[in-house]
């Protein structure tokens, strides 16, 4: 139970101090959290299995920052089988939390993602409530775009996609007006198939700015989960679709 009189600085220090993986959090994120003016914590999900000796909870901690923005930390609190020690881990996003839960408890990633999806309230509700305490709306997430041959980059990404459900002509036409872009690696790792073969997966977000000021992202999956181990590239319009594809490809025999 959190102390209602605990300062935001003390709250953050307590979370970072008990987390086993606090060193994995980006330094830039921790630095921004140090400017927080207020915070809100909520229990997100809980799973108890007394017969198996397993227990876990996920918590969302949202911070209102001095610049009017908001950031969240996702906390996993758990006990392993036949172990009474309570452990804590922190994650910068729900997707990282989802992957950690799936890996740690041997569950299917897509099911974990459904369990961790927001129920009823929108993800930014806590941030909005905090922002109401101050008269500053939260700005859109900041990106560092490079003004380069972005339309040509978008064409190359779409051209090398081999999946039948890749983005179609509608998306390609919009991206012809792209004038800046940013490439971010969202996931990179190795999985083992049922036949003992190791395959690699990498997920990239290609975010574009169009001349009308709008933003469009392509999600690119590079993997070797093919019958002959050949490298393959797939492109999707959403992160959810890309991650679902990675999960399906990991079942290739």
């Amino acid at each position: 139970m959190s102390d209602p009189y605990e300062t935001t600085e003390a709250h953050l220090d307590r979370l970072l101090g008990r987390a086993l993986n606090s060193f994995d959090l980006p330094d830039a994120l921790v630095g921004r959290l140090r400017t927080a003016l207020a915070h809100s914590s909520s229990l997100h999900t809980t799973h108890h299995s007394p017969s198996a000796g397993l227990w876990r909870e996920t918590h969302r901690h949202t911070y209102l920052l001095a610049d009017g923005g908001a950031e969240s930390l996702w906390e996993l609190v758990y006990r392993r089988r036949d172990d009474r020690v309570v452990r804590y881990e922190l994650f910068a996003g729900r997707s990282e939390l989802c992957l950690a839960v799936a890996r740690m408890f041997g569950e299917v990633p897509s099911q974990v993602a459904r369990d961790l999806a927001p129920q009823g309230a929108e993800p930014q509700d806590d941030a909005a409530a905090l922002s109401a305490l101050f008269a500053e709306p939260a700005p859109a997430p900041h990106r560092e775009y490079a003004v380069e041959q972005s339309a040509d980059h978008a064409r190359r990404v779409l051209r090398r996609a081999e999946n039948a459900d890749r983005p179609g002509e509608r998306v390609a036409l919009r991206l012809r007006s792209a004038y800046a872009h940013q490439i971010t690696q969202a996931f990179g790792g190795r999985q083992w198939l049922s036949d003992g073969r190791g395959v690699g997966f990498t997920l990239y977000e290609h975010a574009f700015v169009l001349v009308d000021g709008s933003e469009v992202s392509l999600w690119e999956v590079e993997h070797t989960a093919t019958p002959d181990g050949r490298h393959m590239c797939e492109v999707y319009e959403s992160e959810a679709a890309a991650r679902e594809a990675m999960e399906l490809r990991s079942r290739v025999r």
Side-chain angles (χ1 to χ4, degrees):
M1 185 70 69
S2 60
D3 182 351
Y5 301 103
E6 184 178 43
T7 66
T8 297
E9 181 181 11
H11 178 266
L12 178 61
D13 286 339
R14 180 165 59 85
L15 294 189
L16 294 174
R18 71 190 183 190
L20 299 175
N21 66 332
S22 58
F23 54 85
D24 285 333
L25 293 173
D27 292 340
L29 172 61
V30 175
R32 278 176 56 77
L33 292 173
R34 292 293 184 191
T35 72
L37 304 174
H39 69 278
S40 173
S41 297
S42 59
L43 175 66
H44 195 67
T45 61
T46 180
H47 291 265
H48 296 262
S49 179
S51 60
L54 298 174
W55 168 82
R56 74 172 184 263
E57 293 180 347
T58 61
H59 299 257
R60 183 166 180 257
H61 307 280
T62 304
Y63 297 85
L64 178 68
L65 309 181
D67 62 5
E71 294 282 2
S72 289
L73 287 178
W74 295 84
E75 184 177 38
L76 174 63
V77 186
Y78 63 95
R79 284 200 302 260
R80 293 185 179 278
R81 189 184 305 274
D82 300 324
D83 187 349
R84 305 301 297 175
V85 177
V86 177
R87 295 176 170 84
Y88 303 84
E89 296 191 25
L90 287 173
F91 303 90
R94 188 187 285 111
S95 59
E96 291 91 339
L97 172 63
C98 171
L99 290 172
V101 170
R103 182 187 70 250
M104 196 175 303
F105 293 93
E107 299 182 11
V108 178
S110 60
Q111 181 58 54
V112 176
R114 284 190 287 270
D115 291 343
L116 294 177
Q119 300 295 320
E122 290 299 318
Q124 295 301 319
D125 281 354
D126 288 345
L130 287 173
S131 296
L133 299 174
F134 302 84
E136 284 292 331
H142 178 69
R143 290 185 185 272
E144 294 290 343
Y145 287 105
V147 180
E148 298 176 351
Q149 301 293 324
S150 300
D152 188 56
H153 175 74
R155 281 194 295 270
R156 291 197 304 271
V157 172
L158 291 172
R159 189 168 57 235
R160 63 179 177 248
E162 298 184 53
N163 52 309
D165 54 348
R166 60 186 177 274
E169 187 62 22
R170 175 185 58 83
V171 174
L173 285 173
R174 289 197 67 197
L175 289 171
R176 287 179 185 177
S177 68
Y179 71 89
H181 68 280
Q182 179 195 58
I183 307 171
T184 305
Q185 181 175 323
F187 174 80
R190 192 170 183 82
Q191 297 188 29
W192 297 93
L193 304 185
S194 58
D195 61 3
R197 178 163 55 92
V199 296
F201 286 91
T202 307
L203 174 63
Y204 297 97
E205 179 187 12
H206 301 263
F208 299 89
V209 181
L210 310 186
V211 292
D212 62 2
S214 60
E215 297 175 298
V216 175
S217 286
L218 295 177
W219 294 87
E220 180 182 27
V221 178
E222 293 184 353
H223 67 85
T224 57
T226 51
D228 59 357
R230 179 181 62 86
H231 180 276
M232 183 176 181
C233 171
E234 303 180 31
V235 177
Y236 298 90
E237 290 188 56
S238 71
E239 181 179 9
R243 290 187 179 275
E244 182 177 359
M246 287 197 298
E247 181 185 339
L248 290 173
R249 302 300 178 262
S250 68
R251 300 174 186 170
V252 173
R253 298 178 185 275

